[in-house]
């Protein structure tokens, strides 16, 4: 890995000393700081304006208690969060994650990543993230409704269509968005675009459920096309089996590729015949049933199941990790390269460890970071906000065309930024530089506030 600029190294070491337990947040900061180092060398204004100190502290980091009653009338207590990282480019925007791993560290890393991802979309969106340390497995509909109502009771005062616009993420799908929106409306008496990922028919945008996955595959196609190749005929390994993986599988099938793996907390499935639309829909239903296991797929469709293992040992041309942060480490990266994988596209947020990213970059395989590749989800959220403000709905074709254009612009901007700073073909550097410059310049324009 390249050398880190002195100013960046100093800011990073202060961050680490101040809160050594915020490991995931520091991982995200480190990845950014390495790749923007040449920008800092060439443009001393960022140091003069103390941008790195200012960009690594969230504008507001809210933590609140969520109390609710389960079906047995027992009192439950959880920690709720909303980190409003930066609003230099627009209202805070980012998903809500209900997952056992949620804490202030993960919220800060996700909010930080979101700020640069949103900057890459070219839409007026700041960056934020929220969630709760809730284990969603096994909760009934009514329990989820009560949890969402209690969560929104606390969150409501901090958000608004021009302040902060949450959406879904792991553990928060259209059912949860419905309950959250319903409670917001009942507390404020307002029907507005305060949250995205709403159901089509009462404020939601067409194609929002597919957007993250479709955007990832459009980005993959952009990468392969610019290397005189395409997804057609490629064997693709995917991890995860939630909404992101579902959209990826749908689009890969449509473009003539073959997805052979999916994974869950219980292990991974290998289907030599490849997934089809029906198998893909079955997986989404399985996910929505709250079971959190991929094993039933193997039983139903006669595929192989590998308990407790990750899919990266399966030979593939393209790998798309769509599960969760740090799900792909050094040894997985080395195995993928040994098996001749040509292209790795991050569907999840920060699924590769720093060491894995280094291996990919040193091997010079095609590697796209999540903040560029998975920006399609938040982009269509941005389009949902526009439709809500105008009080109309776009047809699906228009949403799809706009999404395609946004992904292609992000691809182009990443390549151009990388080239300008001697990182030709390096999407990690390109995405970080392009995103950083957008946010930093807006902060300078708006003064010390
Ligand atoms: N949770 C998604 C992400 O990580 C979507 C956020 C949004 O639509 O606001 O980008």
């Amino acid at each position: 890995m390249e050398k880190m600029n002195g100013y960046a190294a100093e800011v990073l070491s202060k961050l680490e000393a101040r809160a050594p337990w915020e490991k995931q947040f520091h991982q995200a900061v480190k990845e950014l700081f390495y790749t923007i180092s040449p920008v800092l060398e060439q443009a001393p204004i960022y140091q003069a304006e103390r941008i790195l100190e200012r960009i690594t502290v969230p504008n507001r980091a809210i933590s609140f208690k969520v109390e609710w009653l389960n079906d047995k009338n027992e009192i439950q207590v959880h920690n709720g969060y909303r980190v409003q990282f930066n609003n230099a480019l627009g209202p805070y925007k980012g998903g809500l994650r209900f997952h056992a791993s949620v804490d202030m560290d993960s919220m800060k890393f996700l909010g930080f990543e979101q700020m640069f991802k949103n900057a890459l979309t070219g839409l007026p969106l700041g960056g934020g993230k929220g969630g709760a340390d809730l284990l969603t497995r096994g909760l009934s509909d009514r329990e989820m409704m009560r949890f969402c109502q209690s969560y929104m009771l606390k969150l409501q005062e901090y958000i608004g269509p021009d302040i902060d616009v949450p959406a879904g993420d792991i553990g928060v799908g259209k059912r949860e968005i419905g309950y959250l929106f319903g409670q917001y409306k009942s507390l404020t008496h307002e029907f507005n675009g305060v949250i995205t990922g709403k159901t089509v028919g009462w404020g939601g945008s067409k194609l929002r459920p597919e957007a993250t996955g479709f955007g990832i595959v459009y980005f993959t196609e952009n990468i392969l096309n610019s290397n005189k190749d395409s997804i057609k005929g490629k064997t693709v390994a995917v991890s995860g089996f939630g909404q992101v993986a579902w959209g990826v599988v749908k689009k890969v099938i449509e473009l003539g590729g073959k997805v052979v793996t999916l994974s869950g907390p219980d292990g991974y499935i290998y289907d030599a015949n490849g997934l089809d639309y029906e198998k893909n829909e079955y997986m989404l239903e399985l996910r929505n049933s709250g079971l959190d296991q991929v094993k039933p797929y193997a039983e139903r469709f006669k595929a192989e199941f590998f308990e407790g293992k990750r899919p990266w040992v399966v030979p593939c041309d393209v790998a798309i990790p769509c599960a969760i942060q740090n799900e792909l480490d050094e040894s997985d990266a080395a195995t993928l390269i040994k098996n001749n994988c040509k292209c790795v596209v991050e569907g999840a947020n920060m699924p590769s460890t720093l060491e894995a990213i280094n291996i990919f970059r040193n091997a010079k395989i095609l590697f796209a970071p999540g903040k560029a590749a998975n920006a399609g989800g938040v982009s269509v959220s941005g389009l949902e906000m526009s439709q809500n403000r105008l009080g109309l709905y776009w047809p699906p074709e228009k949403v799809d065309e706009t999404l395609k254009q946004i992904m292609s612009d992000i691809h182009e901007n990443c390549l151009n930024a990388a080239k300008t700073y001697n990182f030709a073909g390096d999407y990690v550097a390109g995405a970080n530089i392009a995103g950083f410059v957008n946010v930093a310049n807006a902060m300078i324009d708006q003064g010390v506030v």
Side-chain angles (χ1 to χ4, degrees), residues 343-369:
C343 177
V344 178
V345 178
E346 292 191 329
N349 293 312
M350 206 170 80
S352 319
T353 63
L354 274 180
E355 294 75 22
I357 296 178
N358 272 340
I359 291 183
F360 292 139
R361 290 176 76 213
N362 290 336
K364 297 221 181 303
I365 70 157
L366 300 168
F367 174 74

Side-chain angles (χ1 to χ4, degrees), residues 86-254:
N86 189 292
N87 62 353
L89 298 180
Y92 306 106
K93 181 83 195 89
L96 298 173
R97 177 175 292 192
F98 293 168
H99 191 263
S101 68
V102 166
D103 58 14
M104 195 45 105
D105 177 27
S106 64
M107 292 289 100
K108 281 178 75 174
F109 118 64
L110 287 162
F112 187 74
E113 288 281 294
Q114 195 81 43
M115 152 173 47
F116 302 109
K117 180 197 309 196
N118 294 1
L120 288 171
T121 67
L123 299 170
L125 303 170
K129 197 85 183 191
D133 55 356
L134 176 74
L135 194 65
T136 55
R137 190 181 311 148
L139 290 191
S140 70
D141 272 359
R142 292 293 193 222
E143 287 179 320
M144 191 47 102
M145 182 175 80
R146 287 193 295 275
F147 178 81
C148 289
Q149 290 173 342
S150 299
Y151 181 86
M152 184 52 83
L153 183 67
K154 301 295 175 71
L155 182 67
Q156 179 264 129
E157 61 180 299
Y158 305 108
I159 61 173
D162 296 311
I163 303 171
D164 181 356
V165 183
D169 196 81
I170 297 174
V172 179
K174 70 176 189 182
R175 174 183 64 166
E176 291 72 24
I177 295 290
Y179 295 147
L180 290 161
F181 182 77
Q183 174 73 325
Y184 175 86
K185 197 169 54 99
S186 112
L187 293 167
T188 62
H189 307 285
E190 282 183 37
F191 193 116
N192 59 33
V194 68
I195 191 162
T196 61
K198 300 185 288 301
T199 294
V200 171
W202 55 265
S205 173
K206 302 264 173 22
L207 245 63
R208 176 63 190 85
E210 290 86 352
T212 312
F214 280 17
I216 291 163
V217 181
Y218 292 149
F219 200 83
T220 309
E221 193 69 335
N222 288 148
I223 299 176
L224 292 170
N225 287 171
S226 62
N227 287 275
K228 301 193 176 24
D229 205 344
S230 81
I231 203 127
K232 193 160 191 250
K234 296 279 180 298
T235 299
V236 184
V238 174
S239 65
F241 73 114
Q243 184 130 330
V244 177
W246 168 76
V248 165
V249 173
K250 208 166 161 179
K251 194 46 95 179
V252 169
I253 297 174
E254 202 184 303

Side-chain angles (χ1 to χ4, degrees), residues 2 35 361 367 369 414-415 417-419 422-431:
E2 51 281 302
T35 47
R361 290 176 76 213
F367 174 74
C414 287
L415 283 185
K419 203 164 158 200
N422 267 334
F423 284 117
D426 183 334
Y427 290 95
V428 178

